[in-house]
Amino acid sequence: MVTAIILLNIERGQVNQVAEAVADLPGVAEVYSVAGRFDLAVIVRVAANDQLADLVTNHMVNLSGILQTETLIAFRTFSRHDVEAAFSLGG
């Protein structure tokens, strides 16, 4: 499983429309509107890097309103559960 976070800059006034369109793309698990340098943060989960490449270069590129993207590929997932288990003294 490949997990990626794609950060998007969106044209003014288009955030909601782009977020809804992105949420419908294959492999997109979640879309968040965020404060800061970017307008949207997209969580993607796909089986292989090829699917991620297809999503970004063939699907997202066709959506109007996206000004810029930055894709972060996750190496490893850490969750609260993982951290608690690592420090657990056992049962």
Side-chain angles (χ1 to χ4, degrees), residues 70-81:
E70 184 170 333
T71 302
L72 309 171
I73 297 176
F75 293 134
R76 186 176 297 153
T77 301
F78 296 92
S79 69
R80 174 177 284 216
H81 179 268

Side-chain angles (χ1 to χ4, degrees), residues 5-10 18 22 37-38 40 42 55-57 60-61 63 65-72:
I5 299 139
I6 303 174
L7 305 171
L8 304 174
N9 283 328
I10 307 300
V18 173
V22 169
R37 248 182 45 180
F38 295 93
L40 296 175
V42 180
L55 171 68
V56 173
T57 61
M60 280 190 176
V61 74
L63 297 178
I66 297 176
L67 298 173
Q68 180 183 10
T69 68
E70 184 170 333
T71 302
L72 309 171

Side-chain angles (χ1 to χ4, degrees), residues 15-61:
V15 172
N16 292 340
Q17 297 90 331
V18 173
E20 290 173 8
V22 169
D24 289 335
L25 293 176
V28 172
E30 301 163 89
V31 178
Y32 297 94
S33 61
V34 296
R37 248 182 45 180
F38 295 93
D39 301 305
L40 296 175
V42 180
I43 309 300
V44 175
R45 292 185 182 90
V46 292
N49 284 336
D50 289 347
Q51 290 171 304
L52 177 60
D54 183 59
L55 171 68
V56 173
T57 61
N58 293 326
H59 294 280
M60 280 190 176
V61 74

Side-chain angles (χ1 to χ4, degrees), residues 77-91:
T77 301
F78 296 92
S79 69
R80 174 177 284 216
H81 179 268
D82 295 336
V83 172
E84 288 173 359
F87 289 101
S88 173
L89 296 176

